Amino acid sequence: MKKLVFLLLIVIGFSSCVLNRTYISDYREQIRLMKANFPEIYELYRQGDVIITSVYTYEKDGQERVHIEYRYR
């Protein structure tokens, strides 16, 4: 029974993280968020060394956070 409750808590924890994502589709907003939160990745992007695949925001501990997924060329 304890294992089932533990497994249920893990599933709820993961699903709550997934449900609160807000993907940013506006290109200007993506660049603004990247420049403000990840200046070193923005510099690599500007030089053409990385490709941004997605940008989204999520809430953790009551604060809105930004996540950027990218890959190197």
Side-chain angles (χ1 to χ4, degrees):
M1 185 64 169
K2 289 181 183 180
K3 290 180 182 179
L4 181 62
V5 171
F6 180 70
L7 181 61
L8 183 61
L9 289 173
I10 290 174
V11 169
I12 290 171
F14 282 128
S15 66
S16 68
C17 290
V18 172
L19 295 177
N20 294 331
R21 290 182 183 176
T22 304
Y23 284 88
I24 310 299
S25 59
D26 182 31
Y27 178 74
R28 289 182 200 152
E29 183 67 12
Q30 287 180 353
I31 296 300
R32 186 189 69 76
L33 288 170
M34 184 173 37
K35 201 176 196 180
N37 295 291
F38 304 98
E40 55 281 332
I41 296 174
Y42 173 73
E43 213 32 60
L44 291 171
Y45 170 76
R46 200 173 64 78
Q47 294 171 4
D49 294 334
V50 297
I51 297 171
I52 305 302
T53 56
S54 67
V55 177
Y56 62 87
T57 60
Y58 63 97
E59 191 168 318
K60 183 176 180 182
D61 301 329
Q63 294 181 341
E64 185 175 82
R65 301 189 183 209
V66 178
H67 181 84
I68 295 178
E69 293 178 0
Y70 64 93
R71 62 184 174 89
Y72 286 92
R73 286 186 182 231

